[in-house]
Amino acid sequence: MSRPIIKIAVLGITLGIAVMLIAIAIVTGFKSQIRDKVIGFGSHIQILHYETHNFLESSPVNKNQDFLPLLKKHSGIKHIQIYATKPGIIKTEQDIEGVLLKGIDKDFDWSFFNDKIIEGKSFVVTDSSTTNDIIISKNISKKLKLNVGDNLLMYFIEQPPRVRKLNITGIYQTGLEEFDKLYVISDIKHVQKLNNWDQSFISGFELFLNDYNDMDEIAEEINEEIGYDLNALTVREANPQIFDWLDLQDINVKIILALMILVAGINMIATLLILILEKTSTIGILKALGMKNFSIQKIFLYNATYIIGKGLILGNLIGLGLCYLQYQFKIVKLDEANYYLSSVPINIVWTQVLFLNLGTLVICVIMLLLPSYIISRITPVKAIRFS
């Protein structure tokens, strides 16, 4: 009788740990990839003028700041670059589209966009001349029927209106629709001229960090160093709706983990009780021979721990195996317009895998302590009669 029950118990533990591993891998992968995309557009920390309340209309900041040498020496800061923005309108013969022209300088880190450019290439910014090259998103190119190599006219609402003729050298796609439908990347000198700034003025600084978890702490340090007219804004503060949404995913994972561990624990309790009932006569004989209750309890707990361990090993093989297949071959696809990603993301954090396995084992064993005390209620006489 106990053999099929043990198989069911092992299967329950196997499925539970596999589901938990997959859930954690998907959620951590989802958060990591979305977060990296948002940071790729706007960095971990932006230093802006305190009067800048939105990214469309920015107040000028002098790029020659006394605090820059100190920030460049900071161990937590990987890269600093300047930028400037200007809202504009792209007009073709059939359509118009409102966009945000983001000007970059020669210090711009192209590593994020180089992976996202699906047609054409990036452009080079120099001190000696102003390039008319730009990159636009696939979203904009599709709406306005523009391709690599095309020229476009961008209008800026001023008195009188100003216009720039720009050349498309590349088309990018990140999957973040809110950003893709808005940003056009150009030479910063265009924006400076349109804003009537000289080349010493910019919209702000973008700071990329070595570790996302240090962001809030470093932002506080920066705010203490910079002047009263500047403000260090984290990417979480700049995009609260996206990061609040990502934080909600943690709640879903916690619910899944709690339910799976609870089911696994109840499953093992039922299995242990069946084993105790089946071995009642054996328990009575052992007690009659003088064995103590705790010693007998340990035998059953060791047996239950073995069953749990076997389920954990099989569950890890299945869960991590499915994660590997998804990571390598992108089997399960997503609607990028709704999920910001083209396939289900996978991110394996081995410390999480370790703690999940240890936590499941410990919690299940603790849950088995109470039903194991039934052994102490079994007397040799009753056990022999029961048999």
Side-chain angles (χ1 to χ4, degrees):
M1 178 182 174
S2 62
R3 185 166 296 177
I5 297 300
I6 291 174
K7 289 182 179 179
I8 292 172
V10 171
L11 179 62
I13 297 291
T14 300
L15 293 177
I17 195 68
V19 169
M20 288 189 285
L21 283 172
I22 293 170
I24 291 178
I26 290 175
V27 170
T28 55
F30 192 79
K31 291 182 64 177
S32 176
Q33 289 196 28
I34 298 297
R35 187 181 68 196
D36 289 346
K37 286 185 177 184
V38 177
I39 291 171
F41 267 107
S43 73
H44 292 89
I45 300 172
Q46 290 182 332
I47 300 178
L48 313 165
H49 197 282
Y50 81 98
E51 291 182 348
T52 299
H53 300 297
N54 63 72
F55 55 82
L56 294 177
E57 294 293 342
S58 56
S59 300
V61 174
N62 195 306
K63 69 177 184 180
N64 302 309
Q65 298 287 341
D66 294 336
F67 58 77
L68 283 176
L70 182 64
L71 295 186
K72 289 178 180 179
K73 293 179 181 178
H74 196 292
S75 60
I77 299 175
K78 180 170 61 176
H79 179 66
I80 302 174
Q81 61 193 31
I82 62 174
Y83 76 98
T85 56
K86 181 74 174 178
I89 297 172
I90 299 176
K91 185 180 182 300
T92 64
E93 293 182 0
Q94 295 84 18
D95 299 289
I96 62 171
E97 184 75 14
V99 298
L100 185 68
L101 189 66
K102 179 176 181 178
I104 61 170
D105 206 358
K106 62 182 181 180
D107 60 359
F108 186 73
D109 183 358
W110 282 101
S111 58
F112 172 74
F113 278 99
N114 283 339
D115 294 336
K116 306 298 183 295
I117 293 177
I118 56 175
E119 294 181 44
K121 60 181 181 179
S122 58
F123 56 88
V124 178
V125 179
T126 63
D127 291 331
S128 57
S129 61
T130 303
T131 177
N132 292 323
D133 293 339
I134 60 170
I135 63 170
I136 65 174
S137 70
K138 182 180 179 181
N139 184 297
I140 296 173
S141 70
K142 188 176 180 181
K143 283 183 180 179
L144 302 180
K145 299 179 177 60
L146 295 169
N147 299 302
V148 172
D150 290 348
N151 292 320
L152 60 81
L153 294 178
M154 186 175 294
Y155 295 83
F156 301 89
I157 309 303
E158 295 184 10
Q159 292 297 332
R162 303 170 75 175
V163 62
R164 289 290 186 275
K165 186 177 181 180
L166 304 170
N167 175 60
I168 301 170
T169 63
I171 296 174
Y172 71 86
Q173 182 181 17
T174 68
L176 291 176
E177 186 176 0
E178 289 85 349
F179 296 88
D180 283 0
K181 68 182 181 182
L182 187 64
Y183 281 94
V184 172
I185 311 300
S186 76
D187 189 329
I188 193 172
K189 289 186 281 295
H190 282 299
V191 180
Q192 290 170 329
K193 292 176 183 177
L194 289 165
N195 285 334
N196 297 316
W197 300 343
D198 64 42
Q199 292 191 14
S200 63
F201 285 99
I202 58 176
S203 292
F205 302 90
E206 292 181 332
L207 282 65
F208 293 88
L209 309 182
N210 293 314
D211 190 345
Y212 170 82
N213 296 318
D214 297 333
M215 182 174 64
D216 292 332
E217 181 182 346
I218 293 177
E220 289 183 10
E221 294 178 14
I222 293 173
N223 274 318
E224 292 177 359
E225 294 293 334
I226 61 180
Y228 66 91
D229 58 333
L230 300 177
N231 178 40
L233 187 72
T234 67
V235 66
R236 176 181 285 275
E237 293 170 329
N239 303 277
Q241 70 284 356
I242 294 179
F243 283 87
D244 288 344
W245 174 59
L246 291 177
D247 288 340
L248 288 175
Q249 309 309 312
D250 290 334
I251 298 175
N252 297 333
V253 172
K254 290 175 182 177
I255 293 173
I256 292 173
L257 295 183
L259 290 175
M260 289 296 100
I261 291 176
L262 180 63
V263 169
I266 293 174
N267 183 32
M268 285 307 305
I269 289 173
T271 302
L272 182 61
L273 290 175
I274 292 172
L275 289 175
I276 291 173
L277 287 174
E278 191 178 50
K279 302 297 182 180
T280 300
S281 59
T282 304
I283 294 170
I285 294 171
L286 291 174
K287 284 192 173 185
L289 292 173
M291 185 173 284
K292 295 181 179 179
N293 288 324
F294 183 66
S295 298
I296 301 174
Q297 283 177 255
K298 285 196 295 184
I299 295 173
F300 282 91
L301 287 175
Y302 288 153
N303 193 26
T305 303
Y306 170 77
I307 294 172
I308 296 170
K310 188 175 181 180
L312 290 177
I313 293 173
L314 293 174
N316 278 273
L317 290 175
I318 294 173
L320 294 175
L322 291 174
C323 287
Y324 175 78
L325 290 174
Q326 176 61 26
Y327 181 81
Q328 285 292 112
F329 303 107
K330 316 295 182 188
I331 299 170
V332 183
K333 304 295 183 180
L334 293 175
D335 182 358
E336 196 167 27
N338 294 323
Y339 294 97
Y340 305 129
L341 299 171
S342 59
S343 63
V344 173
I346 296 294
N347 181 39
I348 300 295
V349 181
W350 293 108
T351 53
Q352 291 180 346
V353 174
L354 177 62
F355 285 130
L356 179 62
N357 280 273
L358 290 176
T360 302
L361 178 62
V362 171
I363 292 173
C364 286
V365 171
I366 290 174
M367 291 177 70
L368 293 175
L369 291 176
L370 186 59
S372 70
Y373 278 105
I374 294 175
I375 293 171
S376 64
R377 307 296 297 273
I378 298 175
T379 61
V381 175
K382 289 182 179 180
I384 294 171
R385 286 179 181 176
F386 181 80
S387 62

